[in-house]
Amino acid sequence: MSILVVADHDNNSIKASTLVAVAAAQAMGGDIEVLVAGAGCGAAGQAAAGIAGVSKVLVADNAAYEHRLAENLGALVAELGANYSHIVSSTSTSGKNFMPRVAALLDVAQISDISGVVSEDTFERPIYAGNAIATVQSTDAIKVITVRGTAFDPVAAEGGSAAVEAVDVVKDSGLSTWVKDEIVKLDRPELTAASVIISGGRGMQNGENFAMLESVADKLGAAVGASRAAVDAGYAPNDMQVGQTGKIVAPDLYIAVGISGAIQHLAGMKDSKVIVAINKDEDAPIFQVADYGLVADLFKAVPELDALLG
Amino acid sequence: MKVLVTAKRVVDYNVSIRVLADNSGVDLNNVKMSVNPFDEIGIEEAVRLKEAGIATEVVVASVGTSACQEQIRTALALGADRGILVETDEDMQPLAIAKVLKAVIDKEAPQIIITGKQAIDGDNGQTGQMLAALAGLPQATFASKVEVEGDSATVTREIDGGLETITVKLPAIITTDLRLNEPRYASLPNIMKAKKKPIDVMTPADLGVDVAPRVKTLKVTPPAARQAGIKVESVEELVDKLKNEAKVIS
Ligand SMILES: Cc1cc2nc3c(=O)[nH]c(=O)nc-3n(C[C@H](O)[C@H](O)[C@H](O)COP(=O)(O)OP(=O)(O)OC[C@H]3O[C@@H](n4cnc5c(N)ncnc54)[C@H](O)[C@@H]3O)c2cc1C
Ligand SMILES: Nc1ncnc2c1ncn2[C@@H]1O[C@H](COP(=O)(O)O)[C@@H](O)[C@H]1O
């Protein structure tokens, strides 16, 4: 058994989601190799070599992989991956984009967003917005798997000393071209990396009011999230959406402010260790999952909270 | 140009589902079924392309039991021109569905194929990308904006960190994200008109596709329940509990 983990990286460093994918791969058992595909990604390749438990790093450094276009990356991973028993990546927007192509090119199923490993061919995964957990068994020779970022403890980024090998397979479909990125500049931790998150919903009323949450976030070293309603209304960028179809988070502390607690939102945060809800409607479903519920007007409660945190 | 849009029949997003006592699956008896919300967004986008004079025909395809006719009729009432039902009682998994849809696009030769980014029942998020790979076509997933010009489409995509814009050559697969548009409601006259629009029915065998499942569901269980929490009376009490009871802030 040998497992190919396809890394999420920014050419210079490896993203934490990859450390989670490696952890899931370890639970499957077998030799773990990591593929770093990018352009000018030598430093990320070196970083991958340091990940605990990795035996080899493959580096595909070519302009064709610069923007992780799914056609190129999918073809590369399908070709290299044909020799492995498992191909694993994280449930990032990149993993979600190219991995199903890999599976289709290899004529195997994909098992999406696993939350548990039962054995080398059997996995747990949430379905119906996390309202049920399916235990599924793959009958394919190659298992193509994406891994939920909150479901496994990341392996150590350091301590390994894997060999690094260059791969000179170039797949350039010419079918798609990158035009631009508009990346939200963050002065705070990323949602998926934060140990505290404060999220706002429609109750925030507008984008300016998110400054109240930001102030609290800065005192707690927290990330700021949002419900779909808040994103749709333009109060917050899409990147901040927590939920079934947004980001899945599980921080130590999640504070939901002016969020009703629709199942689609709960799907993204109900595995948080401690949940706080501030909502003026005492019947809001968010209170059913909150460890500490405060029935109050957020425009009074949040400034108070901010002041108490000093 | 022709646009093909897919519509999956799924449990309505407002239903809170129940796991069956024998752990064989979720209870689908007497549960409201709807068009997958991301597919409603896809249908809306296709209809807008037609209204903008870019698309000349909108074809809607669904794969599943004969009950999927309902979801096809919904799409027809929203403005699609005709429907295709690939009828089967098999447990259809994304790879098999993608193969069926590949056979459909081989027959129909659409320039743009729009699927949802994710079906909200299985939460797989695979079919559109698999279809693109099988058909050797480019893909623009998680679209929040689509601009078609000549033989290409420029698509803004919702990605971790923000937005990305790419251009894909047509024909291409586009998968919808929540912010692409706000779907309209079907008007009564359009619901009546939809009844007369044609639906072609075929089977996977007619299309020469092997749909054998590759993944076995061994069991389905409810998620771990959260312990009931408490209501606090004041912000002071909240901060005190977080510091001294939960110990999650210092
Ligand atoms: C396909 C699909 C996917 C979806 N994916 C997601 C997803 O990933 N994430 C997500 O979040 N949603 C998602 N949704 C949307 C979800 O169903 C809800 O519509 C959404 O979560 C509601 O957001 P909200 O709680 O902010 O707004 P609302 O439901 O409108 O709730 C606002 C809350 O604010 C409270 N409030 C108002 N004013 C105040 C005040 N002054 N003080 C205190 N409280 C106040 C109200 O009592 C209310 O409870 C999805 C829906 C669909 C159909
Ligand atoms: N049985 C089906 N019939 C029609 N379209 C489907 C079907 N299954 C999946 N799709 C399409 O593929 C998208 C993604 O589904 P999934 O890969 O199951 O998450 C859906 O939003 C639909 O557009």
Side-chain angles (χ1 to χ4, degrees):
Chain A
M1 255 182 67
S2 59
I3 303 177
L4 181 66
V5 175
V6 186
D8 277 338
H9 64 88
D10 63 4
N11 288 322
N12 293 310
S13 59
I14 298 292
K15 297 201 176 157
S17 54
T18 301
L19 305 177
V20 174
V22 171
Q26 278 184 344
M28 294 166 207
D31 201 37
I32 299 173
E33 302 186 4
V34 171
L35 170 66
V36 175
C41 58
Q46 285 305 325
I51 299 174
V54 172
S55 66
K56 187 156 90 176
V57 174
L58 306 176
V59 177
D61 192 340
N62 191 281
Y65 308 126
E66 185 172 2
H67 298 289
R68 304 183 74 79
L69 291 170
E71 299 77 14
N72 300 349
L73 196 52
L76 171 74
V77 175
E79 182 169 315
L80 298 176
N83 304 318
Y84 295 81
S85 59
H86 298 68
I87 305 171
V88 178
S89 195
S90 58
T91 317
S92 59
T93 50
S94 173
K96 289 198 275 194
N97 194 31
F98 76 87
M99 286 290 271
R101 282 189 87 102
V102 173
L105 291 172
L106 293 169
D107 192 27
V108 301
Q110 169 172 305
I111 305 195
S112 296
D113 205 26
I114 62 163
S115 56
V117 175
V118 177
S119 72
E120 62 182 71
D121 66 359
T122 303
F123 309 94
E124 290 170 348
R125 55 180 306 272
I127 56 175
Y128 289 92
N131 288 305
I133 310 293
T135 302
V136 296
Q137 182 176 36
S138 161
T139 58
D140 286 313
I142 303 176
K143 282 106 184 117
V144 172
I145 291 163
T146 56
V147 178
R148 174 166 283 223
T150 53
F152 300 84
D153 288 329
V155 298
E158 270 145 50
S161 56
V164 179
E165 199 175 280
V167 177
D168 56 8
V169 180
V170 179
K171 301 282 183 187
D172 195 351
S173 74
L175 291 170
S176 61
T177 26
W178 174 84
V179 178
K180 66 174 176 189
D181 282 339
E182 293 155 83
I183 298 299
V184 182
K185 265 233 147 292
L186 281 183
D187 309 321
R188 300 187 184 78
E190 241 189 86
L191 270 177
T192 49
S195 55
V196 180
I197 295 174
I198 181 163
S199 289
R202 200 196 308 267
M204 297 303 297
Q205 286 180 8
N206 60 45
E208 288 75 59
N209 288 336
F210 264 73
M212 297 193 314
L213 305 184
E214 287 164 8
S215 176
V216 173
D218 289 342
K219 290 179 182 163
L220 295 174
V224 178
S227 71
R228 173 193 173 179
V231 176
D232 282 4
Y235 307 170
N238 64 281
D239 180 50
M240 276 166 49
Q241 181 181 314
V242 171
Q244 179 188 19
T245 61
K247 293 226 164 72
I248 308 288
V249 298
D252 293 337
L253 173 60
Y254 187 92
I255 307 175
V257 181
I259 292 177
S260 62
I263 47 175
Q264 293 84 8
H265 189 79
L266 301 186
M269 43 66 77
K270 71 178 159 60
D271 292 331
S272 304
K273 212 177 277 165
V274 174
I275 296 174
V276 169
I278 301 177
N279 196 304
K280 67 177 181 190
D281 171 10
E282 63 175 334
D283 296 324
I286 189 77
F287 288 124
Q288 290 162 20
V289 300
D291 300 283
Y292 303 108
L294 177 64
V295 180
D297 185 338
L298 72 91
F299 293 102
K300 199 169 150 280
V302 177
E304 258 179 69
L305 175 63
D306 190 59
L308 273 179
L309 293 172
Chain B
M1 70 174 65
K2 190 191 283 185
V3 176
L4 183 98
V5 56
T6 52
K8 186 176 188 191
R9 175 182 170 87
V10 298
V11 172
D12 186 82
Y13 79 97
N14 271 316
V15 171
S16 56
I17 57 101
R18 219 173 42 83
V19 171
L20 291 168
D22 67 359
N23 291 340
S24 62
V26 303
D27 190 354
L28 297 181
N29 276 319
N30 295 319
V31 164
K32 182 176 178 209
M33 303 297 284
S34 298
V35 174
N36 183 43
F38 287 101
D39 299 347
E40 285 184 339
I41 296 171
I43 294 160
E44 176 68 29
E45 196 65 15
V47 171
R48 288 188 192 184
L49 285 170
K50 190 171 173 201
E51 288 167 347
I54 294 167
T56 47
E57 187 183 29
V58 175
V59 181
V60 55
S62 191
V63 182
T65 63
S66 60
C68 298
Q69 298 248 7
E70 254 178 76
Q71 280 62 42
I72 294 178
R73 287 287 167 213
T74 302
L76 297 175
L78 290 167
D81 297 298
R82 64 185 167 89
I84 296 174
L85 169 62
V86 182
E87 193 176 325
T88 167
D89 292 333
E90 274 275 354
D91 159 32
M92 292 294 283
Q93 299 178 349
L95 181 64
I97 293 163
K99 287 180 178 178
V100 165
L101 294 173
K102 157 77 167 61
V104 170
I105 66 176
D106 284 347
K107 278 174 63 150
E108 293 283 339
Q111 285 295 98
I112 297 179
I113 300 100
I114 307 178
T115 76
K117 89 162 175 182
Q118 175 176 342
I120 59 161
D121 48 3
D123 285 332
N124 282 306
Q126 302 172 5
T127 307
Q129 297 88 314
M130 285 182 159
L131 172 60
L134 295 174
L137 296 178
Q139 68 187 45
T141 52
F142 327 142
S144 63
K145 187 173 174 199
V146 173
E147 287 171 304
V148 179
E149 208 171 300
D151 62 355
S152 70
T154 299
V155 177
T156 304
R157 311 178 50 234
E158 295 201 0
I159 60 166
D160 295 337
L163 299 169
E164 178 191 58
T165 304
I166 61 170
T167 298
V168 287
K169 284 196 181 139
L170 301 182
I173 314 287
I174 294 168
T175 80
T176 60
D177 214 321
L178 294 171
R179 257 70 61 182
L180 182 58
N181 60 48
E182 237 181 273
R184 70 194 68 187
Y185 293 96
S187 67
L188 198 56
N190 284 345
I191 293 173
M192 299 314 289
K193 263 196 253 166
K195 296 195 170 145
K196 300 206 184 71
K197 293 184 181 175
I199 301 179
D200 247 355
V201 182
M202 56 197 83
T203 65
D206 295 338
L207 294 166
V209 179
D210 166 23
V211 295
R214 305 296 189 83
V215 176
K216 278 191 256 180
T217 298
L218 303 182
K219 64 175 178 191
V220 175
T221 52
R226 280 191 81 91
Q227 293 248 321
I230 58 160
K231 290 252 169 69
V232 292
E233 294 303 323
S234 66
V235 177
E236 286 81 27
E237 188 186 349
L238 174 64
V239 170
D240 175 62
K241 295 279 187 202
L242 292 179
K243 278 191 179 154
N244 301 316
E245 190 175 88
K247 298 192 168 59
V248 283
I249 64 175
S250 48

